[in-house]
């Protein structure tokens, strides 16, 4: 945190990494509180301005410090109860606790590029430092519930129209705040003094009537907090804190937070030295059907890449003569892949990289016949079942620069890339096969398809395996057997866990989190339950 004097105001500037997180253990909140206290004691200070840095106002609380959130709650209350006006100057993004901090201020100014969001619900949480009580008082219950239940981002113009922000300026919000302070004797305006919104009852009733049963109980408790609003602001804060602690300790919130961090962990490849830089890949050749990979093709084009498509392996590959990278999307036998590799190497430049769909095949075996094995890498592109996932399988000969290029490209097209072993299968293929075998065995002993689907969907799977991922029922079950839903879930989960353990032992997966991220995106495993390997740890601890 940086403190400075500007005219009659003291400016407290949040400065804590790229996200400006309100850290507690690193002393950020304590420093802000001390800066506020000193400003209150300074007779020459007329008002305080709180602002961010580097285009970010505040990214909210540190998700790893939820057990310490009480200190942040106390700080926001001290901001609101300040005897001198506190002006929030928002230049850039404000998320979660950052928006809650803004609402604790007495005046709120934003530049035109500012954005605001309360995404706590996506982590199985609710705004837990006063947000459920302050936001409805400022913008009304209906609009507040929109923001808290959906977690979507709103821009400065929308924030102004709903009264979350008082003023929007084209220039610097800090300069606008200084002009406001110099021009007027500002009164202290506390959000907690505003009345309970008149639309509270109807807004909550409407939302409850359309709410479907889900694993994530955060939406339900957000409604509980808004419904319980009264003139007793302190009572509302206490109720909010109780629900927040309950949610933070729940399996669902822990699973969602694990998945959130997991998606950011898997893209960091420990085997890739920091000094290795991606190669140029501005032109991409794709072997595969546009219709079957519509979303992937659109992502490549949206990233302003020069894309050349040949719809089949038998097409005219000479079109790839000048491309930097060829991506093969077509499944096939090892023989088919060898033929494709030979044809590609005959037409592409010496520096071109080749990303081949080698699902079910060992890329090391395929690479033995290659002229330039260092440029080869295994690649499984997103499909309808895994629209955001790419699996990447380097072989022993793959150059580090090629792997770095594929990881950088994945980030550019907004996909999650998981690096897997090249020996026999991708993570998704292996875990799907284990899941499929278990479902087939359940069908074989007489379990009904609709029971299997219903049991797993109720547990949180995106779709039942019989209907959702195309597992056919055997013609004749060997015996009729009564199977409980809990047994169906346990058998399927155990199969995934055991396969995950084998993949780690075999080097197919580097880390348990890699398996979990793939399971979430490839199998529709519920984010709320973290993934099969997360479940293994959770159940063991439980």
């Amino acid at each position: 945190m940086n403190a400075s004097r500007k005219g009659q105001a003291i400016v407290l500037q949040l400065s804590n990494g790229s996200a400006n997180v309100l850290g507690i253990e690193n002393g950020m909140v304590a420093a802000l509180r001390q800066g506020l206290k000193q400003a209150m004691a300074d007779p020459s200070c007329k008002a305080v301005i709180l602002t961010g840095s580097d285009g970010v106002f505040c990214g909210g609380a540190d998700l790893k410090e939820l057990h310490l959130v009480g200190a942040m709650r106390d700080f926001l209350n001290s901001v609101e109860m300040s005897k001198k006006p506190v002006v929030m100057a928002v230049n850039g993004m404000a998320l979660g606790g950052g928006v809650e901090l803004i609402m604790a201020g007495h005046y709120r100014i934003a530049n035109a590029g500012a954005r605001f969001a309360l995404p706590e619900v996506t982590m199985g949480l609710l705004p837990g430092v006063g947000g459920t009580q302050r936001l409805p008082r400022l913008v009304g219950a209906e609009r507040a519930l929109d923001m808290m239940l959906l977690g979507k981002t709103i821009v400065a113009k929308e924030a102004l129209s709903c009264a979350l922000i008082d003023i929007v300026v084209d220039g610097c919000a800090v300069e606008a705040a200084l002009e406001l302070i110099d021009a007027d004797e500002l009164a202290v305006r506390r959000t907690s003094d505003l009345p309970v919104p008149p639309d509270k009852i109807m807004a909550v009733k409407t939302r409850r009537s359309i709410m479907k049963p889900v694993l994530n109980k955060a939406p339900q408790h957000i409604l509980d907090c808004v419904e319980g609003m009264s003139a007793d602001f302190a009572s509302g804060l206490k109720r909010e804190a109780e629900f927040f602690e309950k949610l933070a300790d729940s399996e669902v919130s822990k699973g969602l937070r694990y998945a959130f961090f997991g998606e950011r962990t898997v893209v960091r490849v420990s085997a890739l030295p920091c000094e290795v830089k991606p190669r140029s890949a501005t032109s991409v050749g794709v072997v595969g059907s546009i219709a079957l990979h519509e979303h992937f093709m659109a992502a490549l084009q949206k990233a302003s890449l020069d894309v050349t498509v040949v719809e089949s392996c038998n097409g005219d590959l000479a079109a790839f003569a000048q491309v930097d990278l060829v991506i093969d999307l077509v499944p096939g036998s090892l023989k088919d892949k060898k033929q494709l590799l030979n044809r590609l190497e005959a037409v592409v430049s010496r520096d071109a990289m080749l990303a081949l769909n080698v699902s079910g095949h060992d890329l090391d075996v395929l690479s033995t016949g290659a002229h330039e094995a260092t440029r080869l890498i295994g690649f499984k592109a997103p499909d309808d079942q895994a629209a955001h996932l790419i699996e990447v399988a380097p072989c022993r000969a793959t150059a580090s620069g090629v792997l770095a290029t594929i990881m950088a490209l994945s980030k550019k097209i907004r996909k999650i890339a998981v690096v897997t072993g090249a020996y026999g299968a991708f993570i998704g293929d292996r875990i799907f096969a284990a899941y499929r075998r278990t479902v087939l065995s359940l069908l074989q002993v007489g379990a009904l398809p609709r029971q299997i689907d219903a049991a797993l969907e109720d547990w949180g799977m995106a779709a039942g395996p019989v209907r959702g991922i195309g597992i056919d029922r055997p013609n004749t079950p060997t015996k009729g057997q009564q199977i409980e839903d809990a047994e169906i879930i346990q058998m399927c989960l155990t199969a995934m866990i055991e396969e995950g353990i084998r993949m780690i032992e075999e080097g197919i997966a580097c880390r348990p989190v890699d398996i979990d991220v793939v399971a979430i995106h490839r199998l529709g495993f519920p984010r709320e339950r973290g993934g099969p390997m997360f479940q293994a740890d959770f159940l063991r601890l439980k």
Side-chain angles (χ1 to χ4, degrees), residues 196 230 293 322 394 442 448:
V196 174
S230 70
H293 297 89
Q322 301 300 320
L442 286 166
L448 296 174

Side-chain angles (χ1 to χ4, degrees), residues 193-204:
D193 290 339
L194 295 173
V196 174
D199 65 337
K200 178 192 80 169
I201 295 174
M202 183 57 70
V204 171

Side-chain angles (χ1 to χ4, degrees), residues 434-435 438-439 441-442 445 481 483-498:
Y435 186 30
T438 305
V439 173
S441 68
L442 286 166
V445 298
Q481 183 177 330
I483 301 175
E484 298 295 329
D485 288 358
E487 187 177 356
I488 291 172
I489 295 164
Q490 182 181 2
M491 288 178 65
C492 291
L493 180 58
T494 300
M496 294 183 206
I497 291 170
E498 290 177 347

